[in-house]
């Protein structure tokens, strides 16, 4: 199966398909949530995040695959509903791959249950004049719904290979690999209006698709209905949030953290490191640097591994489960009206909820939103109010030990601020919001294998991203402390920290570190709270300020990359005073009302 | 849910006026915001498509080609359908 074969069958295909020195570039294109990333993983052996909602993939991923004797570059693309007209930013990325001659061959991955829509896209892909293959994926789910497709007839009409696959199980992949060599330019209507394409797709679907009247009411379908109707959906949401709290807030942030912090680090690693350092390098400087108050091991590693890691892990597990079940997009129905006040629509629930995992990744997911204004507001609100998993760790760790009322106060204040800032931004910023039109993925049982792989990769990613910054922050603190700058910072910030916010002076340095990574700052608060230096009210105020800060350096850099330096700086310029003023206001109100948590 | 068992009345009404469980045959998509009809067409809401109302509150949710679509009220108002009566 060499490229010669490809050319023979490619007909009018581009001449670049002759003997090549570079790999054959195969782009996987298709509607959102049809399983392109699973196909990518099957072909390349590389894992990219797979979830059960449209918009998981918002950037291009490439991977090598050997198909027969041909080396291929497989390109995973964001899902597209259309390649023409007004498209969202993630769709534009895919269109650019096709228009910029970034691909030699296209595999259209389609949801077999929804052939009509797939064919409308086929017609648009055909317009690019590249050889293609159609993979009807998830045929098992189609069969379960009584749908069958005459692939041979469809192939004859389109003039391209059509294969049926179940990517998640690897079914049909030898057929798919073999079909790549026979890829051809599709004989679909080219260059007509969308209505013409729709009529063509209607006719063709009627010809090759058989729908038996059997319609089984499957349990997932019942769950799907229950989750979107208010009477059952809202109680289900409450149960989900409570389960999240129990698993992450109690089991992760308290049981596991205590085990690691007091047990593994408190009794094992830290005393052992102190003993080792004092035994073999009895230099005061080395002692302080590694195992002192601002020591790399006793502070940096302890924060990253003992305090934050357990919560990040439990959170990613639970979160992955929710992602793969298809539950999260259903929340959009309930959020739509509230989000509209903030210049967004229900679709924004996806980046917002994803932000609980990582604000930086969620900032990229805002590409699925319809207008620049919506993207800007979503990015602003993510940076302002959505605590990422690592920060959630410290919030739950500290306030879980104070009281539920303290936790609620924090969430109410933060959500209130997001609402207020969103409302203002919707009025101040120019532009429109887009209309709420959203596809709801089916409810599916999550696959344990995917869940574990995804969680493992995310935990690794956390370790790679956060731990170095935690260590760098610790070194910075150590240096500042040595230079006497910490005392200076505390003194300069004292009017704000102790005066306005009513916090102990020691919090100043923690707030400064919060600029680097807000979960790092929060981890500092955690230790302060643990040693009894913070009252309940102080903990709530400090955490509120920290939550409202810009999440971390990485998040700032992504904001700059997505929206430019000016916007990035403007967002920081808005958020910082909002955070401090909110903290000051909260401190004032809590004291005026004489609240004790 | 085969169409042969259904007959439809001739008058087109907004999708939002369908009762839960009622089917409709899409006749057109109206409304000013450009891009709306393109987006709906790309999601399969084309003349001739059969839709089923699933839920009306807090947002309109309907079924089309094995896909659940959630839309805001204004969009549901702009999709004109001919309601179908189940003759079974």
């Amino acid at each position: 199966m060499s490229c010669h074969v490809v050319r023979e069958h490619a007909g009018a295909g581009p001449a670049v398909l002759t003997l090549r020195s570079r790999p054959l570039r195969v782009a996987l294109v298709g509607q959102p949530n049809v399983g392109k990333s699973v196909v990518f993983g099957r072909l390349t052996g590389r894992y990219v995040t797979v979830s059960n909602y449209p918009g998981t993939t918002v950037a291009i991923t490439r991977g090598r695959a050997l198909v027969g004797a041909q080396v291929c570059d497989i390109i995973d693309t964001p899902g597209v509903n259309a390649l023409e007209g007004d498209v969202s930013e993630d769709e534009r990325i895919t269109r650019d791959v096709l228009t910029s001659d970034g691909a030699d061959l296209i595999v259209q991955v389609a949801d077999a249950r929804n052939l009509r829509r797939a064919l409308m896209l086929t017609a648009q892909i055909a317009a690019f004049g590249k050889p293609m293959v159609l993979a009807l994926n998830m045929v098992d789910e189609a069969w379960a719904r009584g749908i069958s497709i005459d692939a041979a007839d469809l192939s004859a009409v389109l003039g391209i290979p059509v294969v049926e696959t179940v990517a998640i199980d690897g079914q049909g992949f030898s057929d798919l690999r073999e079909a790549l060599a026979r890829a051809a330019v599709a004989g679909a209507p080219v260059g007509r209006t969308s209505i013409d394409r729709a009529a063509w797709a209607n006719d063709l679907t009627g010809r090759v698709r058989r729908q038996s009247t059997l319609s089984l009411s499957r349990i997932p379908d019942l769950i799907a209905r229950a989750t979107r109707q208010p009477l059952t959906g809202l109680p289900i949401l409450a149960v989900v949030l409570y389960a999240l709290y129990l698993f992450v807030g109690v089991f992760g942030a308290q049981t596991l953290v205590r085990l690691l912090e007091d047990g593994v680090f408190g009794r094992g690693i830290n005393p052992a490191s102190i003993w080792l350092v004092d035994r073999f390098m009895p230099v005061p400087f080395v002692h302080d640097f590694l195992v002192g108050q601002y020591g790399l091991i006793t502070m940096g590693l302890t924060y990253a591994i003992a305090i934050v890691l357990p919560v990040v892990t439990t959170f990613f597990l639970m979160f992955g489960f929710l992602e793969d079940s298809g539950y999260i997009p259903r929340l959009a129905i309930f959020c739509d009206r509230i989000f509209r006040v903030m210049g967004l629509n229900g679709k924004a629930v996806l980046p917002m909820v994803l932000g609980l995992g990582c604000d930086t990744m969620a900032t990229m997911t805002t590409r699925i939103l319809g207008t620049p204004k919506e993207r800007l507001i979503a990015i602003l609100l993510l940076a302002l109010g959505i605590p990422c998993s690592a920060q959630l760790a410290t919030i739950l760790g500290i306030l879980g030990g104070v009281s539920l009322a303290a936790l609620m106060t924090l969430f109410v204040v933060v959500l209130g601020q997001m609402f207020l800032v969103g409302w203002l931004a919707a009025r101040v910023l120019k532009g429109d919001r887009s209309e709420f039109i959203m596809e709801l993925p089916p409810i599916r049982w999550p696959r344990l294998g995917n869940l574990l792989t995804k969680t493992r990769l995310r935990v690794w990613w956390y370790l790679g991203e956060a731990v170095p910054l935690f260590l760098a922050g610790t070194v910075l603190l150590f240096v500042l402390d040595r230079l006497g700058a910490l005392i200076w910072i505390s003194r300069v910030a004292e009017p704000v920290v102790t005066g306005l916010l009513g916090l102990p002076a020691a919090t100043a340095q923690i707030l400064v570190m919060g600029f680097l990574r807000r979960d790092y700052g929060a981890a500092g608060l955690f230790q302060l709270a643990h040693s009894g230096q913070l009252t309940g009210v102080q903990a709530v105020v400090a955490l509120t300020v920290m939550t409202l800060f810009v999440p971390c350096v990485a998040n700032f850099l992504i904001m700059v990359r997505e929206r430019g330096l000016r916007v990035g700086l403007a967002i920081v310029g808005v958020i910082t005073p909002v955070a401090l003023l909110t903290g000051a206001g909260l401190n004032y109100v809590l004291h005026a009302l004489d609240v004790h948590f | 849910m085969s169409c042969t068992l259904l007959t439809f009345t001739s008058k087109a009404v907004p999708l939002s006026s369908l009762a839960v469980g009622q089917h409709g045959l899409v006749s057109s998509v109206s409304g000013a915001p450009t891009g709306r009809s393109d987006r709906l067409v790309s999601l399969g809401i084309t003349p001739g498509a059969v839709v089923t109302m699933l839920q009306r509150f807090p947002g309109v949710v309907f079924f089309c080609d094995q896909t659940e679509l959630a839309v805001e009220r204004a969009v549901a108002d702009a999709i004109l359908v001919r309601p179908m009566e189940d003759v079974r």
Side-chain angles (χ1 to χ4, degrees):
Chain A
M1 186 184 338
S2 74
C3 27
H4 303 286
V5 189
V6 175
R7 190 183 54 165
E8 276 169 36
H9 292 267
V16 287
L17 287 175
T18 46
L19 269 178
R20 64 189 64 251
S21 52
R22 57 180 175 76
L24 183 72
R25 296 164 306 170
V26 180
L28 305 175
V29 180
Q31 263 105 4
N33 213 32
V34 297
K36 293 175 291 300
S37 294
V38 186
V39 172
F40 177 83
R42 282 273 160 203
L43 289 174
T44 62
R46 261 189 74 184
Y47 181 84
V48 285
T49 308
V50 172
S51 304
N52 180 17
Y53 56 80
T56 307
T57 307
V58 290
I60 301 284
T61 314
R62 288 165 204 276
R64 278 286 157 86
L66 195 63
V67 179
Q70 173 70 56
V71 178
C72 296
D73 253 344
I74 311 288
I75 307 165
D76 190 21
T77 63
V80 286
N81 282 311
L83 290 162
E84 295 176 353
D86 263 353
V87 295
S88 59
E89 220 153 311
D90 54 334
E91 290 180 315
R92 191 168 313 131
I93 291 170
T94 301
R95 191 169 65 184
D96 288 347
V97 170
L98 301 181
T99 52
S100 68
D101 201 32
D104 305 311
L105 193 153
I106 296 165
V107 173
Q108 184 191 354
V109 183
D111 180 348
R113 293 171 310 160
N114 213 331
L115 182 63
R116 199 169 64 92
R117 258 178 72 189
L119 288 175
M120 283 162 55
L121 190 62
T122 308
Q124 295 181 53
I125 295 173
F128 288 93
K130 289 184 195 288
M132 67 180 290
V133 171
L134 176 60
L136 298 173
N137 195 26
M138 304 195 266
V139 277
D140 55 335
E141 290 196 12
W143 291 332
R145 287 174 162 78
I147 297 168
S148 61
I149 294 166
D150 187 341
D153 193 15
L154 183 58
S155 171
V157 173
L158 293 173
I160 59 172
V162 177
V163 288
E164 295 183 296
T165 57
V166 182
I168 203 97
D169 294 329
Q171 270 183 53
F173 269 68
S174 50
D175 292 348
L176 177 61
R177 289 197 183 87
E178 180 265 332
L180 290 185
R182 294 184 286 114
V185 178
V190 168
R192 294 201 230 141
T193 67
S194 61
I195 297 297
D196 289 338
R197 281 197 299 264
W200 170 81
N202 263 349
D203 290 347
L204 186 50
T205 304
R207 172 171 163 177
V208 300
R209 197 182 90 137
R210 293 283 164 271
Q211 162 95 61
S212 68
T213 38
L214 125 142
S215 81
L216 300 167
S217 213
R218 305 178 319 141
I219 294 172
D221 293 339
L222 295 178
I223 299 174
R225 187 191 307 169
T227 49
R228 64 171 151 71
Q229 287 176 342
L231 218 57
T232 42
L234 292 176
I236 289 175
L237 175 61
V239 169
V240 167
L241 288 177
Y242 189 63
L244 190 70
Y245 170 74
L246 282 186
F247 188 59
V248 182
V250 177
F251 176 67
Q254 284 162 45
T255 314
L256 287 182
V257 167
R258 205 164 299 143
L259 204 70
L260 281 172
E261 198 201 5
D262 299 346
V264 176
F265 275 84
R267 293 210 195 88
I269 294 176
N270 287 347
S273 333
I274 293 173
W275 182 83
L276 277 176
V277 168
D278 291 349
R279 177 102 171 68
F280 296 106
M281 281 176 288
V283 185
F285 180 83
V286 175
H287 173 100
D288 289 352
F289 183 71
L290 288 176
V291 294
Q293 189 192 355
Y294 302 107
L296 268 187
I297 297 170
T298 42
M299 185 184 203
L301 266 191
T302 309
Y303 278 14
I305 308 289
I307 300 178
V308 181
L309 185 65
V311 185
V312 171
T313 309
T314 47
F315 180 83
F316 280 152
L317 263 178
M318 178 96 183
F319 190 65
F321 181 87
L322 291 176
E323 275 187 334
D324 288 6
S325 69
Y327 176 67
I328 297 171
R330 282 160 195 276
L331 296 175
I333 302 170
F334 301 117
C335 301
D336 183 43
R337 280 159 201 255
I338 303 166
F339 279 174
R340 265 188 254 168
V341 181
M342 297 185 274
L344 300 167
N345 71 47
K347 209 172 181 180
V349 77
L350 270 176
M352 291 299 162
V353 175
L354 293 185
L356 292 173
C358 169
D359 284 306
T360 309
M361 288 182 182
T363 300
M364 285 176 67
T365 302
T366 60
R367 288 177 186 173
I368 66 168
L369 301 181
T371 66
K373 178 178 174 177
E374 287 175 307
R375 291 201 60 199
L376 186 54
I377 293 178
I379 290 173
L380 172 68
L381 294 183
L382 276 170
L384 177 71
I386 303 287
C388 66
S389 51
Q391 200 195 359
L392 212 54
T394 44
I395 293 177
L396 292 171
I398 298 170
L399 296 187
V402 177
S403 72
L404 194 62
L407 198 59
M408 286 298 146
T409 308
L410 176 103
F411 283 134
V412 168
V413 170
V414 169
L415 285 176
Q417 271 310 327
M418 284 178 67
F419 190 77
L420 193 70
V421 170
W423 182 81
L424 278 173
R427 263 133 209 90
V428 172
L429 296 173
K430 282 194 276 288
D432 291 312
R433 73 170 182 92
S434 62
E435 287 183 318
F436 177 54
I437 301 174
M438 188 176 176
E439 185 179 347
L440 303 176
I443 294 283
R444 296 192 175 108
W445 300 119
R447 301 236 169 179
L448 189 63
N450 185 50
L451 184 58
L452 293 180
T453 308
K454 186 151 80 169
T455 306
R456 195 189 73 225
L457 288 177
R458 283 175 169 168
V459 168
W460 271 119
W461 161 84
Y462 160 75
L463 290 174
E465 167 130 349
V467 173
L469 269 178
F470 271 45
L471 295 181
T474 309
V475 172
L476 186 62
L477 272 182
F478 175 78
V479 172
L480 289 178
D481 183 49
R482 281 284 146 139
L483 297 176
L486 276 187
I487 296 170
W488 179 81
I489 289 173
S490 301
R491 202 171 295 149
V492 171
E494 200 179 325
V496 176
V497 174
T498 47
L500 268 180
L501 301 176
L503 300 173
T507 335
Q509 66 199 54
I510 292 169
L511 286 178
V512 171
M513 286 302 114
F515 279 110
L516 195 64
R517 256 189 91 93
R518 57 182 184 186
D519 49 314
Y520 181 75
L525 288 178
F526 186 87
Q527 286 220 318
L528 216 56
H530 248 201
S531 53
Q533 295 181 56
L534 283 181
T535 66
V537 170
Q538 285 174 330
V540 172
V541 171
L543 280 172
T544 304
V545 173
M546 200 81 80
T547 306
L548 293 173
F549 270 168
V550 174
C552 61
V553 177
N555 185 284
F556 176 73
L557 293 179
I558 288 286
M559 288 195 295
V560 170
R561 202 186 73 192
E562 296 282 310
R563 297 283 91 168
L565 182 63
R566 242 188 50 202
V567 173
L569 289 174
I571 288 178
V572 175
V574 168
I575 284 177
T576 311
V578 167
L580 291 174
L581 287 174
T582 308
L586 183 62
N587 177 43
Y588 179 79
V589 170
L590 289 179
H591 276 102
L593 297 176
D594 199 25
V595 177
H596 298 280
F597 290 114
Chain B
M1 200 190 68
S2 165
C3 304
T4 51
L5 293 171
L6 304 162
T7 60
F8 52 84
T9 55
S10 57
K11 196 167 174 296
V13 298
L15 171 67
S16 50
S17 66
L18 291 189
V20 170
Q22 203 177 5
H23 307 295
L25 193 72
V26 175
S27 59
S28 66
V29 177
S30 71
T34 48
R36 175 198 279 161
S37 74
D38 282 350
R39 279 182 72 199
L40 287 171
V41 165
S42 72
L43 289 169
I45 313 303
T46 61
V50 178
V51 294
T52 309
M53 180 63 93
L54 294 178
Q55 176 178 332
R56 299 165 51 91
F57 181 83
V60 174
V61 182
F62 62 98
F63 203 64
C64 175
D65 278 353
Q66 305 291 328
T67 308
E68 282 180 44
L69 290 168
V71 298
E72 63 179 86
R73 180 71 190 224
V75 176
D77 286 340
I79 301 172
L80 295 181
V81 300
R82 292 149 85 184
M84 298 165 124
E85 314 288 341
D86 203 327
V87 295
R88 272 176 296 185

